[in-house]
Amino acid sequence: MLKRGMSRIGAVQLTAAGMGHAFRLTVTNGTIWTGIFFLTGFMVSYMTVLSWADYSYVMPAGAFGYALLTFLAVIFLHESVSSRRWVGVLLICVGVLLVGQTKPRTTEVAREALA
């Protein structure tokens, strides 16, 4: 949503006037606010999961989002993704699957908070 909103605004000129104009267009763009809403939801969800499981489990599992975002960018933003990047996405997915095979450990503090 942020990409779509910024594409509608256009290239930002790195001058005081250009930055001011881009700022005005940005704060009045509903698509950008929708993107900010989704980012806030992601951050709250991510912090919640971090309170339940170790970072060494959550971070690799969260990397699956990169694969999902690449797929969504192709579908909704009509971006072209090279075969080399698709191989990278595949490697990320394989890594997530490997990490997913391990049991998510929780720290003592997190276990006590859940009890």
Side-chain angles (χ1 to χ4, degrees):
M1 298 304 291
L2 293 174
K3 164 70 174 157
R4 184 172 282 178
M6 290 308 293
S7 294
R8 290 181 183 163
I9 288 174
V12 176
Q13 302 299 320
L14 298 178
T15 63
M19 296 290 280
H21 179 69
F23 180 77
R24 283 188 298 281
L25 292 174
T26 300
V27 297
T28 59
N29 188 312
T31 306
I32 291 174
W33 283 108
T34 303
I36 292 170
F37 172 77
F38 283 122
L39 280 174
T40 303
F42 166 78
M43 186 58 64
V44 169
S45 300
Y46 194 65
M47 290 186 315
T48 302
V49 171
L50 283 173
S51 74
W52 296 339
D54 288 339
Y55 186 73
S56 61
Y57 180 81
V58 173
M59 184 59 191
F64 185 70
Y66 295 120
L68 179 63
L69 288 176
T70 302
F71 183 70
L72 293 174
V74 169
I75 292 174
F76 293 108
L77 299 176
H78 310 290
E79 292 187 4
S80 63
V81 178
S82 68
S83 57
R84 178 178 252 179
R85 287 189 184 191
W86 281 119
V87 169
V89 168
L90 179 65
L91 288 173
I92 289 171
C93 292
V94 169
V96 169
L97 290 174
L98 288 173
V99 169
Q101 299 299 315
T102 63
K103 184 179 178 188
R105 257 187 18 194
T106 57
T107 60
E108 289 299 320
V109 175
R111 276 189 229 131
E112 291 170 7
L114 292 173

